[in-house]
């Protein structure tokens, strides 16, 4: 990865390093998490250590934000400890998409066990809520892009880490690159660097970087970081 650094207009943008949480046992088992609060597994903790070590060697990080769900918060705590023993600031708006009646199911069984929820989840429309209290893609987009914008507005001229989830990161990509091809998957602890400028302009400097992991160090299916969300 080419290391990003602040240039002559450093006061007009915030650099936000968006990291997907480490692996959970449910990611490995292809179970749908959504808002269910699943912890990291041992592999996920090792991934978090590796991304933390990487970030600790880059330019100074001022703040660490996280979803309040355990898999993200624990990843953020490991990063924060390595990057100056920072406090982790939680924000519920950084949570994964609420997947309603799909949550807790093995993905391959969802269409049989919860056909209405699966139909809503698989819809090409972005305004369809998932039965069981689930969110539409539009609601997820509004929630998480507003959260990142708030963080960006607060931290112009600083580098900030945000630890969140696959569905959220896909929405953030769409906000920064609305005409780009849809993202297929977001790997665990992948590094994605956004710059948020004055006037609501977003750019992406680094995307999907897992160079801190070896080839056996991540779940290559990206389960939970694709359309399945996790």
């Amino acid at each position: 990865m080419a290391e990003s650094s602040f240039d002559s207009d450093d006061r007009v943008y915030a650099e936000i390093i968006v990291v997907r949480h480490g692996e959970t046992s449910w990611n490995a088992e292809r179970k749908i998490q959504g808002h269910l609060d699943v912890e990291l597994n041992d592999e996920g903790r090792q991934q978090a250590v590796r991304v933390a070590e990487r970030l600790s060697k880059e330019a100074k990080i001022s703040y660490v934000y996280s979803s309040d769900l355990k898999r993200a918060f624990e990843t953020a705590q490991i990063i924060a400890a390595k990057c100056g023993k920072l406090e982790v600031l939680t924000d519920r708006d950084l949570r994964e998409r609420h997947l309603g009646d799909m949550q807790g199911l093995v993905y391959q069984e969802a269409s049989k066990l919860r056909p209405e929820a699966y139909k809503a989840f698989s819809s090409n429309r972005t305004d369809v809520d998932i039965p069981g209290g689930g969110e539409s893609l539009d609601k997820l987009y509004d929630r998480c892009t507003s959260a990142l914008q708030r963080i960006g507005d607060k931290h112009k001229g600083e580098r900030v880490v945000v630890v969140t989830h696959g569905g959220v990161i896909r929405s953030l990509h769409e906000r920064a690159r609305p005409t780009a091809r849809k993202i297929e998957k977001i790997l665990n602890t992948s590094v994605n660097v956004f710059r948020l400028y004055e006037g609501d302009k977003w750019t992406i400097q680094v995307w999907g970087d897992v160079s801190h992991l070896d080839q056996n160090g991540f779940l290559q299916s990206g389960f939970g970081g694709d359309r399945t969300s996790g």
Side-chain angles (χ1 to χ4, degrees):
M1 173 186 113
E3 222 179 277
S4 55
S5 59
F6 287 113
D7 45 37
S8 58
D9 66 344
D10 63 357
R11 288 173 293 183
V12 300
Y13 68 82
E15 185 157 279
I16 304 181
I17 304 155
V18 178
V19 179
R20 186 184 172 209
H21 62 79
E23 182 184 307
T24 71
S25 60
W26 282 29
N27 290 150
E29 294 165 8
R30 300 182 65 83
K31 290 180 73 174
I32 297 169
Q33 295 176 129
H35 277 202
L36 298 184
D37 209 4
V38 183
E39 297 181 348
L40 297 180
N41 61 14
D42 289 341
E43 185 64 43
R45 293 185 184 96
Q46 286 300 312
Q47 293 168 346
V49 168
R50 292 192 183 183
V51 73
E53 289 173 344
R54 168 192 175 157
L55 294 175
S56 72
K57 296 172 185 175
E58 297 180 0
K60 178 185 174 183
I61 291 166
S62 300
Y63 293 89
V64 177
Y65 286 82
S66 176
S67 156
D68 63 336
L69 296 176
K70 290 175 185 175
R71 56 193 185 272
F73 184 66
E74 185 177 356
T75 304
Q77 284 182 309
I78 293 169
I79 292 170
K82 286 279 187 181
C83 295
K85 298 182 179 178
L86 301 171
E87 178 187 359
V88 177
L89 306 171
T90 58
D91 187 338
R92 285 177 58 90
D93 286 342
L94 295 171
R95 281 187 172 202
E96 183 54 280
R97 181 185 181 189
H98 195 305
L99 294 169
D101 288 338
M102 296 280 286
Q103 296 182 164
L105 302 180
V106 175
Y107 182 69
Q108 288 86 343
E109 299 173 357
S111 61
K112 293 181 180 178
L113 296 176
R114 293 288 188 273
E116 291 303 313
Y118 184 82
K119 180 180 177 181
F121 175 75
S122 303
S123 174
N124 289 325
R125 290 176 52 184
T126 59
D127 61 347
V128 177
D129 291 333
I130 299 173
E135 292 176 288
S136 67
L137 286 169
D138 286 345
K139 288 178 181 175
L140 170 67
Y141 178 94
D142 290 345
R143 167 166 65 78
C144 66
T145 58
S146 295
L148 203 72
Q149 187 67 61
R150 288 195 304 271
I151 293 169
D153 290 344
K154 191 173 181 179
H155 295 292
K156 293 291 191 291
E158 295 178 305
R159 295 184 85 231
V160 176
V161 170
V162 168
V163 183
T164 185
H165 306 265
V168 169
I169 298 172
R170 288 162 61 87
S171 290
L172 300 180
H173 181 275
E174 183 180 352
R175 169 66 176 80
R177 295 179 177 171
T179 62
R181 182 180 174 182
K182 298 293 184 184
I183 296 300
E184 293 300 318
K185 59 186 176 182
I186 314 293
L187 297 175
N188 293 111
T189 71
S190 60
V191 170
N192 310 279
V193 181
F194 291 75
R195 286 181 179 174
L196 274 59
Y197 291 81
E198 299 285 358
D200 297 337
K201 175 186 175 184
W202 292 26
T203 65
I204 296 174
Q205 305 302 117
V206 175
W207 183 257
D209 193 323
V210 289
S211 58
H212 50 281
L213 304 176
D214 59 38
Q215 286 299 307
N216 296 319
F218 59 88
L219 192 64
Q220 297 192 36
S221 70
F223 186 81
D226 54 11
R227 288 195 74 251
T228 53
S229 295

